[in-house]
Amino acid sequence: KKKPIAREKVAVVVLTMSAVPPSPGYGSRDRSEQLRVQHIIEGMHRGMPSGSVSRDIGSSSSASSSAGSASGGGGKVEMILRNFGPLLLKLVDLLNTSWPHIVRVFNTVSTYVSAVPVSVLTAVYGLGLCFFGGYFAASVAAIEAFRQNGWDTTRACLADLNIDWQNIRKAHSSDNTLDENLDGIPDVQQLNKKELLSRKLMLFARTVNPDRVVMALGGIWGGLLGVLATLRLHFALVITLGVSIGNALRKAASVYAAPALARILPPEYHKWISVIIGYVCKTIGISVAWVVQHIISVVQSAIHGGLICSRAVLAILAEHQIVTIDPELSMIDEYCGWTLAAAGIYFQLSTGLGLPFPYSIILFPLTIVEWIIRWVAVF
């Protein structure tokens, strides 16, 4: 039984349909369709059949533009510091308090993960990609783009930032206990919010290495921009394909849907008929494009994951000297990988466009991450 299109696909369709940039001649095409609908309605009043509308309707286009300006001053900066300064200090204190626990959890997870052989982790990753990759297409695309374009640089930048962060933590802890006037009360407790924020900002400026921080942040930002560009290109291609399908459907829809809408709607609302038909056609077209893209993602992730898993399993068998097969000289990895890929494709397509139970509960955190990545890619 076919399942309906997943709700996240519909949400992306609705939110991105208005963001599609106009193509050359877009306004004239819209005007032509409006004239077509108008002639159909006029033909109805004259008793003409809707199919006899001439195909040679002229087109016209119009354009308008507007500009705005914005101004600001130092008062805005002062207002931002006054309103968000206390919040910033609380966030710094919260991060400073929770940082040891974060490091402890990270080290514990790293210890357990590092105890598992890399080949086993690779096999698990490939198996998950083979059977579930199509449900998390944006996440998989982001991981692959980040691994190829930004991971090495980002890892080095994070290591540099960690040096400055450790220095800031030590300086912040020492400053909180400093009592220069020897009155038994730490100096930071005798300052108002504005003075405390100024003191901490100057402490930050004295402690960090600005060149290292700027270079590290620039490297991280460059990696993230590469991932974002990849995702936006991916979504733009889908939306463009959907809009093209919708525009192809619009002419036939105008001929058959305009008379029905003209009979249903009062005459004063007939000017909306062309707009309604246009958006319905685009919605249908983008929905079809999402289904096609989902199938492509399913096939690609299943093939890629199946080959990764099969080669990792062969590496595990070779490590334990159970079977020694060179993937470069044998087709066993290809046969096993393609068999897994066929099973993964069948599993994903047979369950529709949504995760089946209980995987929808188990993988719910990954679903949230997928939603966030798609939202960032669209907006």
Side-chain angles (χ1 to χ4, degrees):
K1 183 179 179 181
K2 299 292 184 180
K3 291 191 174 183
I5 296 176
R7 286 174 291 178
E8 60 266 25
K9 300 293 191 301
V10 178
V12 173
V13 167
V14 175
L15 292 174
T16 58
M17 199 164 53
S18 60
V20 178
S23 57
Y26 180 80
S28 61
R29 183 170 61 246
D30 268 10
R31 181 58 179 166
S32 177
E33 293 298 334
Q34 292 175 0
L35 291 175
R36 186 184 306 281
V37 172
Q38 182 179 351
H39 278 256
I40 291 174
I41 297 174
E42 291 176 354
M44 289 179 58
H45 293 305
R46 296 194 301 265
M48 295 172 56
S50 60
S52 63
V53 179
S54 171
R55 298 174 178 265
D56 301 324
I57 299 177
S59 62
S60 62
S61 62
S62 62
S64 63
S65 63
S66 60
S69 61
S71 61
K76 291 185 177 181
V77 177
E78 182 180 354
M79 181 184 67
I80 293 175
L81 291 177
R82 184 172 62 253
N83 293 334
F84 295 97
L87 177 60
L88 179 61
L89 291 174
K90 290 181 180 179
L91 289 176
V92 171
D93 290 333
L94 176 62
L95 187 58
N96 188 54
T97 303
S98 60
W99 184 255
H101 304 286
I102 297 174
V103 172
R104 189 180 303 111
V105 171
F106 178 79
N107 291 335
T108 303
V109 174
S110 299
T111 301
Y112 284 105
V113 171
S114 60
V116 181
V118 176
S119 54
V120 174
L121 295 177
T122 304
V124 172
Y125 170 73
L127 192 64
L129 187 63
C130 180
F131 285 89
F132 300 100
Y135 302 114
F136 306 101
S139 301
V140 172
I143 292 173
E144 290 297 323
F146 188 66
R147 183 179 62 85
Q148 296 178 13
N149 301 321
W151 167 238
D152 294 334
T153 302
T154 302
R155 180 172 55 184
C157 294
L158 289 175
D160 291 339
L161 287 179
N162 184 59
I163 297 174
D164 286 289
W165 172 248
Q166 296 298 336
N167 295 335
I168 292 173
R169 287 187 62 244
K170 294 177 181 178
H172 177 68
S173 300
S174 301
D175 185 63
N176 286 341
T177 59
L178 189 62
D179 183 16
E180 293 181 340
N181 55 10
L182 302 178
D183 60 352
I185 303 175
D187 296 338
V188 294
Q189 298 182 12
Q190 304 179 38
L191 303 176
N192 57 39
K193 295 180 179 179
K194 186 175 181 180
E195 294 172 341
L196 181 60
L197 177 61
S198 177
R199 179 188 180 103
K200 293 301 181 181
L201 289 176
M202 289 188 292
L203 175 68
F204 173 83
R206 292 194 307 268
T207 305
V208 301
N209 184 330
D211 293 332
R212 183 166 55 199
V213 171
V214 171
M215 291 291 292
L217 293 178
I220 294 174
W221 182 243
L224 294 178
L225 284 180
V227 174
L228 184 61
T230 302
L231 292 176
R232 291 201 169 184
L233 177 62
H234 173 78
F235 277 84
L237 290 174
V238 176
I239 299 302
T240 303
L241 175 62
V243 172
S244 176
I245 296 174
N247 289 333
L249 296 174
R250 189 170 180 177
K251 183 176 180 180
S254 298
V255 173
Y256 292 101
L261 291 175
R263 286 191 291 266
I264 296 174
L265 297 176
E268 59 268 22
Y269 298 113
H270 284 180
K271 59 184 179 181
W272 288 96
I273 292 179
S274 178
V275 177
I276 294 173
I277 293 175
Y279 271 89
V280 169
C281 290
K282 289 178 183 179
T283 301
I284 295 174
I286 295 176
S287 300
V288 172
W290 271 119
V291 173
V292 173
Q293 181 59 46
H294 176 76
I295 296 174
I296 294 174
S297 299
V298 165
V299 174
Q300 187 274 337
S301 62
I303 294 174
H304 188 49
L307 293 174
I308 289 176
C309 183
S310 65
R311 290 164 184 168
V313 170
L314 289 179
I316 295 172
L317 295 177
E319 289 175 1
H320 292 80
Q321 298 181 351
I322 299 175
V323 176
T324 303
I325 298 176
D326 188 357
E328 299 297 331
L329 303 177
S330 172
M331 291 292 293
I332 297 297
D333 60 324
E334 300 288 334
Y335 298 147
C336 297
W338 283 93
T339 302
L340 278 176
I345 293 172
Y346 174 77
F347 172 78
Q348 294 185 72
L349 294 182
S350 64
T351 57
L353 303 183
L355 277 170
F357 182 83
Y359 304 108
S360 58
I361 304 298
I362 299 174
L363 301 177
F364 182 71
L366 294 180
T367 303
I368 295 177
V369 173
E370 178 75 6
W371 270 75
I372 294 174
I373 292 176
R374 292 187 181 188
W375 186 88
V376 171
V378 171
F379 295 101

